[in-house]
Amino acid sequence: MKPWEKNIRTVVPYVPGEQPQGRGLIKLNTNENPYPPAPGVLRALREMDGRLLRKYPDPAASALVEGLAEFYGLCSSQVFVGVGSDDVLAMAFMTFFNSGKPILFPDITYSFYPVWADLFQIPYKTPALDGEFRIRPADYYQENGGVVFPNPNAPTGIFLPLKQVEDILDHNQDVVVIVDEAYIDFGGVSARTLLDRYENLLVVGTFSKSRSMAGMRIGYAFGSPALIKAMENVKYSYNSYTMNLPSVLSGVEALKDKEYFYETVGKIVNTRERAKSRFKELGFKCPDSSANFLFITHEERKAEEILQALREKNIYVRHFNAPRISEYLRVTIGTDDEMEAVYDFLASWLVTLSR
């Protein structure tokens, strides 16, 4: 090892979902929305004054902050925005998890959490989900330096009822509790309804899933003015111009079209509920998902075997080769036509194997 190499920080990086290219494929591996964004989003991008791109964007992304505050009935001082929820969460880790005590998050959860903890040198513990992949609030009564968990959880899709979220908050008044709500629009009640009662609560969301804008990288957080101010101070000490102008303009337009938003979410929820029954008919089991994906396992066939068979037909789903979940596949909810193609292939493939 060369002398300068000794000072390089080494981490095991997060592995993002595969982004296959080409025509004729069915991409159900990264929880993207199968429908286009609201019509106003594309209109705003077409009509944008290109001359504005030579200037730096508003560092506060004020138009987007105000749009979020209005949509969700909050004050602008309770809203933070960033380049996707990953950026927002990373900023929150840097801002709030500095006590030297281990932070807590589930053993089966969003796989970026341990990466950030290692990158920012934050100790952590991972309380195990129960046998049905559910969070046990009592596991979070122990001393810690902060708590973070997705709700609904990923990759299981299970929603933790608000009463149990409150239980975790009640037992962690001396640290910041982050509820990562990337999938909340597809099922469950948001923890933002608790903001007035818990000044240590941070609720994180994204435009990538329910608003069909993963390519624009828009994330946000809701919290007390004190939490939001602390995050802004860290942001401005790190990179003051994080949100680009096209993202701000398109994000504002997406918030205006409530009818389209609820219609699109409703389509995905309806397709998801049908998918639960269809996969069950094919011999799959899955937790009762409240997200825009299902976490499925087959009674007889191995997950890797199913994964490869699907890939040969240009159908992409996600497999996590990790303890306790190695026999599960995460399947994003696509359009009805896409899902029918998946069912038809699996039905034919399973019959062939049984002969």
Side-chain angles (χ1 to χ4, degrees):
M1 180 178 289
K2 298 179 179 65
W4 53 267
E5 290 181 299
K6 297 177 182 178
N7 298 318
I8 295 176
R9 179 171 295 177
T10 57
V11 294
V12 178
Y14 171 76
V15 180
E18 185 178 0
Q19 294 292 335
Q21 303 296 321
R23 296 186 177 185
L25 58 85
I26 298 176
K27 188 174 181 297
L28 307 175
N29 65 322
T30 49
N31 296 345
E32 294 146 332
N33 195 313
Y35 301 105
V41 171
L42 301 180
R43 184 171 59 250
L45 293 174
R46 286 194 301 268
E47 297 175 356
M48 183 182 65
D49 185 348
R51 292 173 296 179
L52 295 175
L53 294 178
R54 69 182 181 82
K55 298 181 179 180
Y56 286 111
D58 173 12
S62 301
L64 183 58
V65 167
E66 291 166 6
L68 282 162
E70 180 180 357
F71 188 94
Y72 290 105
L74 301 170
C75 298
S76 297
S77 61
Q78 294 177 283
V79 181
F80 177 91
V81 296
V83 186
S85 60
D86 288 342
D87 177 52
V88 174
L89 285 162
M91 205 71 65
F93 270 57
M94 282 194 288
T95 305
F96 303 121
F97 296 158
N98 300 292
S99 71
K101 299 176 183 178
I103 63 172
L104 304 178
F105 50 82
D107 66 329
I108 300 172
T109 194
Y110 186 30
S111 52
F112 226 140
Y113 296 162
V115 174
W116 286 318
D118 288 339
L119 179 62
F120 303 136
Q121 300 181 343
I122 303 167
Y124 64 91
K125 292 182 180 179
T126 55
L129 300 179
D130 69 15
E132 296 181 340
F133 294 149
R134 297 186 181 277
I135 290 174
R136 294 177 286 207
D139 291 340
Y140 296 81
Y141 293 178
Q142 61 184 291
E143 185 178 18
N144 63 75
V147 175
V148 56
F149 58 90
N151 199 30
N153 196 10
T156 65
I158 295 176
F159 175 72
L160 184 69
L162 207 59
K163 194 70 175 176
Q164 295 185 48
V165 174
E166 278 196 82
D167 189 12
I168 293 174
L169 283 161
D170 287 336
H171 287 85
N172 288 280
Q173 293 288 296
D174 57 341
V175 298
V176 173
V177 176
I178 301 174
V179 182
D180 180 358
E181 293 189 341
Y183 305 100
I184 194 63
D185 293 323
F186 303 105
V189 180
S190 173
R192 70 176 177 273
T193 58
L194 304 175
L195 288 172
D196 290 341
R197 296 171 53 193
Y198 298 95
E199 63 181 3
N200 62 322
L201 168 63
L202 190 78
V203 179
V204 177
T206 178
F207 280 46
S208 296
K209 316 301 181 185
S210 57
R211 295 190 184 277
S212 308
M213 296 175 67
M216 295 306 293
R217 312 308 302 128
I218 302 175
Y220 55 88
F222 302 141
S224 65
L227 293 189
I228 299 305
K229 179 61 176 175
M231 289 184 69
E232 289 174 347
N233 289 343
V234 172
K235 168 189 170 181
Y236 293 138
S237 302
Y238 178 73
N239 181 359
S240 57
Y241 297 107
T242 56
M243 181 68 68
N244 64 68
L245 179 62
S247 292
V248 171
L249 295 177
S250 59
V252 169
E253 289 303 316
L255 290 166
K256 291 179 181 178
D257 199 337
K258 292 185 179 181
E259 182 178 353
Y260 183 86
F261 170 66
Y262 291 121
E263 176 186 349
T264 303
V265 168
K267 287 181 181 179
I268 293 171
V269 170
N270 290 336
T271 303
R272 180 193 70 202
E273 294 307 301
R274 286 192 294 271
K276 292 176 183 178
S277 298
R278 296 296 296 275
F279 278 118
K280 185 177 180 180
E281 292 170 1
L282 293 168
F284 289 90
K285 298 186 296 184
C286 68
D288 189 20
S289 174
S290 295
N292 68 333
F293 58 83
L294 297 181
F295 199 49
I296 64 173
T297 184
H298 197 266
E299 297 171 351
E300 298 177 359
R301 314 314 308 186
K302 293 286 187 180
E304 278 281 4
E305 182 184 14
I306 301 169
L307 180 74
Q308 293 306 318
L310 289 168
R311 284 176 66 96
E312 289 175 7
K313 290 296 181 180
N314 269 340
I315 300 171
Y316 290 81
V317 299
R318 190 80 186 265
H319 178 237
F320 298 91
N321 189 17
R324 300 181 66 192
I325 60 172
S326 60
E327 289 304 324
Y328 283 80
L329 297 171
R330 193 191 68 191
V331 182
T332 304
I333 300 301
T335 63
D336 285 334
D337 288 344
E338 288 175 328
M339 300 306 293
E340 287 295 334
V342 174
Y343 311 142
D344 289 347
F345 166 72
L346 287 173
S348 175
W349 179 72
L350 290 167
V351 167
T352 301
L353 290 178
S354 65
R355 289 174 180 167

Short mmCIF file of all heavy atoms in Angstrom, two decimals, residues 236-275:
data_model
loop_
_atom_site.label_atom_id
_atom_site.label_comp_id
_atom_site.label_asym_id
_atom_site.label_seq_id
_atom_site.Cartn_x
_atom_site.Cartn_y
_atom_site.Cartn_z
N TYR A 236 -26.02 24.26 3.26
CA TYR A 236 -25.30 25.43 2.77
C TYR A 236 -23.80 25.37 3.08
O TYR A 236 -23.01 26.10 2.47
CB TYR A 236 -25.90 26.71 3.34
CG TYR A 236 -27.30 26.99 2.84
CD1 TYR A 236 -28.30 27.46 3.69
CD2 TYR A 236 -27.64 26.79 1.50
CE1 TYR A 236 -29.59 27.70 3.24
CE2 TYR A 236 -28.92 27.03 1.04
CZ TYR A 236 -29.89 27.48 1.91
OH TYR A 236 -31.16 27.72 1.45
N SER A 237 -23.41 24.50 3.98
CA SER A 237 -21.99 24.30 4.27
C SER A 237 -21.39 23.23 3.36
O SER A 237 -20.17 23.03 3.35
CB SER A 237 -21.81 23.87 5.73
OG SER A 237 -22.35 24.83 6.61
N TYR A 238 -22.26 22.55 2.61
CA TYR A 238 -21.81 21.43 1.78
C TYR A 238 -21.95 21.76 0.30
O TYR A 238 -21.00 21.65 -0.47
CB TYR A 238 -22.64 20.20 2.14
CG TYR A 238 -22.33 18.96 1.35
CD1 TYR A 238 -21.15 18.25 1.57
CD2 TYR A 238 -23.21 18.48 0.38
CE1 TYR A 238 -20.86 17.12 0.84
CE2 TYR A 238 -22.93 17.35 -0.36
CZ TYR A 238 -21.75 16.67 -0.12
OH TYR A 238 -21.46 15.54 -0.84
N ASN A 239 -23.16 22.18 -0.13
CA ASN A 239 -23.42 22.55 -1.52
C ASN A 239 -24.68 23.38 -1.55
O ASN A 239 -25.78 22.86 -1.40
CB ASN A 239 -23.57 21.30 -2.39
CG ASN A 239 -23.81 21.64 -3.85
OD1 ASN A 239 -23.87 22.80 -4.23
ND2 ASN A 239 -23.93 20.62 -4.68
N SER A 240 -24.54 24.66 -1.74
CA SER A 240 -25.69 25.56 -1.60
C SER A 240 -26.66 25.48 -2.77
O SER A 240 -27.83 25.80 -2.64
CB SER A 240 -25.21 27.00 -1.42
OG SER A 240 -24.39 27.39 -2.50
N TYR A 241 -26.18 25.05 -3.96
CA TYR A 241 -27.04 25.02 -5.14
C TYR A 241 -27.37 23.58 -5.53
O TYR A 241 -26.98 23.08 -6.57
CB TYR A 241 -26.35 25.72 -6.31
CG TYR A 241 -26.07 27.18 -6.07
CD1 TYR A 241 -24.78 27.64 -5.83
CD2 TYR A 241 -27.11 28.11 -6.08
CE1 TYR A 241 -24.53 28.98 -5.61
CE2 TYR A 241 -26.87 29.46 -5.86
CZ TYR A 241 -25.58 29.88 -5.62
OH TYR A 241 -25.32 31.21 -5.41
N THR A 242 -28.12 22.92 -4.70
CA THR A 242 -28.37 21.50 -4.93
C THR A 242 -29.53 21.22 -5.88
O THR A 242 -29.52 20.23 -6.60
CB THR A 242 -28.67 20.78 -3.60
OG1 THR A 242 -29.76 21.43 -2.96
CG2 THR A 242 -27.47 20.82 -2.68
N MET A 243 -30.54 22.05 -5.91
CA MET A 243 -31.74 21.79 -6.71
C MET A 243 -31.70 22.59 -8.00
O MET A 243 -31.69 23.83 -7.97
CB MET A 243 -32.99 22.14 -5.91
CG MET A 243 -34.31 21.88 -6.63
SD MET A 243 -34.66 20.13 -6.91
CE MET A 243 -34.92 19.59 -5.23
N ASN A 244 -31.68 21.91 -9.15
CA ASN A 244 -31.59 22.62 -10.41
C ASN A 244 -32.93 23.23 -10.80
O ASN A 244 -33.99 22.80 -10.33
CB ASN A 244 -31.05 21.72 -11.53
CG ASN A 244 -31.99 20.58 -11.83
OD1 ASN A 244 -33.08 20.78 -12.35
ND2 ASN A 244 -31.56 19.35 -11.53
N LEU A 245 -32.90 24.21 -11.69
CA LEU A 245 -34.09 24.96 -12.06
C LEU A 245 -35.16 24.08 -12.72
O LEU A 245 -36.34 24.19 -12.37
CB LEU A 245 -33.72 26.12 -12.98
CG LEU A 245 -34.89 26.97 -13.48
CD1 LEU A 245 -35.62 27.64 -12.32
CD2 LEU A 245 -34.38 28.01 -14.49
N PRO A 246 -34.82 23.20 -13.68
CA PRO A 246 -35.87 22.35 -14.26
C PRO A 246 -36.59 21.50 -13.22
O PRO A 246 -37.81 21.30 -13.32
CB PRO A 246 -35.10 21.48 -15.27
CG PRO A 246 -33.92 22.31 -15.65
CD PRO A 246 -33.54 23.02 -14.39
N SER A 247 -35.87 21.01 -12.23
CA SER A 247 -36.52 20.21 -11.19
C SER A 247 -37.48 21.06 -10.37
O SER A 247 -38.58 20.61 -10.03
CB SER A 247 -35.46 19.58 -10.27
OG SER A 247 -34.71 18.60 -10.95
N VAL A 248 -37.08 22.26 -10.03
CA VAL A 248 -37.96 23.14 -9.25
C VAL A 248 -39.23 23.44 -10.03
O VAL A 248 -40.35 23.31 -9.51
CB VAL A 248 -37.23 24.45 -8.88
CG1 VAL A 248 -38.22 25.45 -8.27
CG2 VAL A 248 -36.09 24.19 -7.91
N LEU A 249 -39.09 23.85 -11.30
CA LEU A 249 -40.26 24.20 -12.11
C LEU A 249 -41.19 23.01 -12.30
O LEU A 249 -42.42 23.15 -12.18
CB LEU A 249 -39.79 24.74 -13.47
CG LEU A 249 -39.00 26.05 -13.45
CD1 LEU A 249 -38.55 26.41 -14.86
CD2 LEU A 249 -39.83 27.17 -12.85
N SER A 250 -40.62 21.85 -12.60
CA SER A 250 -41.47 20.68 -12.84
C SER A 250 -42.10 20.18 -11.55
O SER A 250 -43.24 19.71 -11.53
CB SER A 250 -40.67 19.57 -13.51
OG SER A 250 -39.56 19.17 -12.72
N GLY A 251 -41.37 20.29 -10.43
CA GLY A 251 -41.92 19.88 -9.15
C GLY A 251 -43.12 20.73 -8.75
O GLY A 251 -44.13 20.21 -8.25
N VAL A 252 -43.03 22.03 -8.98
CA VAL A 252 -44.14 22.93 -8.67
C VAL A 252 -45.37 22.56 -9.49
O VAL A 252 -46.50 22.51 -8.98
CB VAL A 252 -43.73 24.40 -8.93
CG1 VAL A 252 -44.95 25.31 -8.87
CG2 VAL A 252 -42.69 24.84 -7.92
N GLU A 253 -45.17 22.26 -10.77
CA GLU A 253 -46.30 21.90 -11.63
C GLU A 253 -46.92 20.58 -11.21
O GLU A 253 -48.15 20.41 -11.26
CB GLU A 253 -45.85 21.84 -13.09
CG GLU A 253 -45.56 23.19 -13.70
CD GLU A 253 -46.76 24.13 -13.64
OE1 GLU A 253 -47.88 23.69 -13.92
OE2 GLU A 253 -46.56 25.31 -13.29
N ALA A 254 -46.10 19.63 -10.80
CA ALA A 254 -46.63 18.34 -10.36
C ALA A 254 -47.55 18.50 -9.16
O ALA A 254 -48.58 17.82 -9.06
CB ALA A 254 -45.48 17.39 -10.01
N LEU A 255 -47.21 19.41 -8.26
CA LEU A 255 -48.02 19.62 -7.06
C LEU A 255 -49.37 20.27 -7.39
O LEU A 255 -50.34 20.10 -6.65
CB LEU A 255 -47.26 20.51 -6.07
CG LEU A 255 -46.04 19.86 -5.40
CD1 LEU A 255 -45.18 20.91 -4.73
CD2 LEU A 255 -46.49 18.81 -4.39
N LYS A 256 -49.46 20.98 -8.50
CA LYS A 256 -50.69 21.68 -8.84
C LYS A 256 -51.79 20.73 -9.31
O LYS A 256 -52.98 21.02 -9.13
CB LYS A 256 -50.41 22.72 -9.94
CG LYS A 256 -49.57 23.89 -9.49
CD LYS A 256 -49.33 24.85 -10.66
CE LYS A 256 -48.47 26.04 -10.24
NZ LYS A 256 -48.20 26.93 -11.40
N ASP A 257 -51.41 19.61 -9.91
CA ASP A 257 -52.38 18.73 -10.53
C ASP A 257 -52.77 17.60 -9.58
O ASP A 257 -52.33 16.45 -9.71
CB ASP A 257 -51.82 18.16 -11.83
CG ASP A 257 -52.91 17.62 -12.76
OD1 ASP A 257 -53.99 17.28 -12.24
OD2 ASP A 257 -52.67 17.52 -13.97
N LYS A 258 -53.62 17.92 -8.61
CA LYS A 258 -54.02 16.93 -7.61
C LYS A 258 -54.85 15.81 -8.22
O LYS A 258 -54.70 14.64 -7.84
CB LYS A 258 -54.81 17.61 -6.49
CG LYS A 258 -54.01 18.57 -5.64
CD LYS A 258 -54.84 19.10 -4.49
CE LYS A 258 -54.02 20.05 -3.62
NZ LYS A 258 -54.80 20.56 -2.47
N GLU A 259 -55.70 16.14 -9.16
CA GLU A 259 -56.57 15.13 -9.77
C GLU A 259 -55.74 14.04 -10.45
O GLU A 259 -56.00 12.84 -10.28
CB GLU A 259 -57.52 15.78 -10.76
CG GLU A 259 -58.49 14.80 -11.41
CD GLU A 259 -59.47 15.48 -12.37
OE1 GLU A 259 -59.46 16.74 -12.43
OE2 GLU A 259 -60.21 14.76 -13.06
N TYR A 260 -54.74 14.45 -11.22
CA TYR A 260 -53.90 13.48 -11.92
C TYR A 260 -53.11 12.64 -10.92
O TYR A 260 -52.97 11.42 -11.09
CB TYR A 260 -52.94 14.21 -12.86
CG TYR A 260 -52.07 13.26 -13.67
CD1 TYR A 260 -52.54 12.73 -14.87
CD2 TYR A 260 -50.81 12.89 -13.23
CE1 TYR A 260 -51.76 11.84 -15.61
CE2 TYR A 260 -50.02 12.02 -13.95
CZ TYR A 260 -50.51 11.49 -15.15
OH TYR A 260 -49.72 10.61 -15.87
N PHE A 261 -52.62 13.27 -9.88
CA PHE A 261 -51.85 12.58 -8.85
C PHE A 261 -52.67 11.45 -8.22
O PHE A 261 -52.23 10.30 -8.17
CB PHE A 261 -51.40 13.59 -7.78
CG PHE A 261 -50.80 12.97 -6.55
CD1 PHE A 261 -49.60 12.30 -6.61
CD2 PHE A 261 -51.43 13.10 -5.32
CE1 PHE A 261 -49.04 11.74 -5.47
CE2 PHE A 261 -50.89 12.55 -4.18
CZ PHE A 261 -49.69 11.87 -4.26
N TYR A 262 -53.86 11.78 -7.76
CA TYR A 262 -54.68 10.77 -7.10
C TYR A 262 -55.16 9.69 -8.08
O TYR A 262 -55.30 8.52 -7.71
CB TYR A 262 -55.86 11.43 -6.40
CG TYR A 262 -55.44 12.26 -5.21
CD1 TYR A 262 -55.73 13.64 -5.15
CD2 TYR A 262 -54.75 11.69 -4.14
CE1 TYR A 262 -55.34 14.41 -4.06
CE2 TYR A 262 -54.35 12.45 -3.05
CZ TYR A 262 -54.65 13.81 -3.01
OH TYR A 262 -54.24 14.56 -1.94
N GLU A 263 -55.41 10.09 -9.31
CA GLU A 263 -55.84 9.11 -10.31
C GLU A 263 -54.74 8.09 -10.58
O GLU A 263 -55.00 6.87 -10.64
CB GLU A 263 -56.20 9.85 -11.61
CG GLU A 263 -56.58 8.92 -12.76
CD GLU A 263 -56.78 9.65 -14.07
OE1 GLU A 263 -56.82 10.91 -14.05
OE2 GLU A 263 -56.87 8.98 -15.11
N THR A 264 -53.51 8.56 -10.74
CA THR A 264 -52.39 7.67 -11.03
C THR A 264 -52.10 6.75 -9.86
O THR A 264 -51.88 5.54 -10.03
CB THR A 264 -51.14 8.49 -11.38
OG1 THR A 264 -51.43 9.36 -12.47
CG2 THR A 264 -49.97 7.59 -11.76
N VAL A 265 -52.07 7.30 -8.65
CA VAL A 265 -51.86 6.48 -7.47
C VAL A 265 -52.94 5.41 -7.36
O VAL A 265 -52.66 4.24 -7.05
CB VAL A 265 -51.81 7.36 -6.21
CG1 VAL A 265 -51.88 6.49 -4.94
CG2 VAL A 265 -50.54 8.21 -6.19
N GLY A 266 -54.18 5.81 -7.63
CA GLY A 266 -55.29 4.85 -7.56
C GLY A 266 -55.12 3.70 -8.54
O GLY A 266 -55.44 2.54 -8.22
N LYS A 267 -54.64 3.99 -9.75
CA LYS A 267 -54.40 2.94 -10.73
C LYS A 267 -53.40 1.91 -10.19
O LYS A 267 -53.60 0.69 -10.31
CB LYS A 267 -53.85 3.53 -12.03
CG LYS A 267 -54.85 4.27 -12.88
CD LYS A 267 -54.15 4.78 -14.15
CE LYS A 267 -55.08 5.56 -15.03
NZ LYS A 267 -54.37 6.06 -16.25
N ILE A 268 -52.32 2.41 -9.62
CA ILE A 268 -51.28 1.51 -9.12
C ILE A 268 -51.79 0.68 -7.95
O ILE A 268 -51.52 -0.53 -7.86
CB ILE A 268 -50.03 2.33 -8.72
CG1 ILE A 268 -49.40 2.95 -9.97
CG2 ILE A 268 -49.01 1.46 -7.98
CD1 ILE A 268 -48.30 3.94 -9.70
N VAL A 269 -52.53 1.30 -7.05
CA VAL A 269 -53.08 0.57 -5.90
C VAL A 269 -54.02 -0.53 -6.38
O VAL A 269 -53.97 -1.67 -5.89
CB VAL A 269 -53.80 1.54 -4.94
CG1 VAL A 269 -54.59 0.76 -3.89
CG2 VAL A 269 -52.79 2.46 -4.28
N ASN A 270 -54.88 -0.23 -7.35
CA ASN A 270 -55.81 -1.23 -7.87
C ASN A 270 -55.07 -2.39 -8.53
O ASN A 270 -55.42 -3.56 -8.33
CB ASN A 270 -56.78 -0.60 -8.87
CG ASN A 270 -57.78 0.33 -8.20
OD1 ASN A 270 -58.07 0.20 -7.02
ND2 ASN A 270 -58.32 1.27 -8.96
N THR A 271 -54.04 -2.06 -9.30
CA THR A 271 -53.24 -3.11 -9.95
C THR A 271 -52.51 -3.94 -8.90
O THR A 271 -52.41 -5.18 -9.04
CB THR A 271 -52.24 -2.49 -10.92
OG1 THR A 271 -52.95 -1.69 -11.88
CG2 THR A 271 -51.45 -3.56 -11.67
N ARG A 272 -52.02 -3.30 -7.87
CA ARG A 272 -51.32 -4.02 -6.79
C ARG A 272 -52.25 -5.02 -6.10
O ARG A 272 -51.86 -6.15 -5.83
CB ARG A 272 -50.79 -3.02 -5.75
CG ARG A 272 -50.05 -3.67 -4.58
CD ARG A 272 -49.85 -2.66 -3.47
NE ARG A 272 -51.11 -2.32 -2.81
CZ ARG A 272 -51.30 -1.19 -2.11
NH1 ARG A 272 -50.34 -0.29 -2.00
NH2 ARG A 272 -52.47 -0.97 -1.54
N GLU A 273 -53.46 -4.60 -5.81
CA GLU A 273 -54.39 -5.49 -5.11
C GLU A 273 -54.75 -6.69 -5.99
O GLU A 273 -54.87 -7.82 -5.49
CB GLU A 273 -55.64 -4.73 -4.69
CG GLU A 273 -55.36 -3.66 -3.63
CD GLU A 273 -54.62 -4.22 -2.42
OE1 GLU A 273 -55.15 -5.14 -1.77
OE2 GLU A 273 -53.49 -3.74 -2.14
N ARG A 274 -54.91 -6.47 -7.28
CA ARG A 274 -55.15 -7.60 -8.18
C ARG A 274 -53.93 -8.51 -8.24
O ARG A 274 -54.05 -9.74 -8.30
CB ARG A 274 -55.50 -7.11 -9.59
CG ARG A 274 -56.91 -6.53 -9.70
CD ARG A 274 -57.31 -6.35 -11.15
NE ARG A 274 -56.49 -5.33 -11.82
CZ ARG A 274 -56.78 -4.04 -11.85
NH1 ARG A 274 -57.87 -3.60 -11.22
NH2 ARG A 274 -56.02 -3.18 -12.48
N ALA A 275 -52.74 -7.90 -8.22
CA ALA A 275 -51.50 -8.68 -8.30
C ALA A 275 -51.35 -9.61 -7.11
O ALA A 275 -50.84 -10.73 -7.26
CB ALA A 275 -50.30 -7.73 -8.39
#
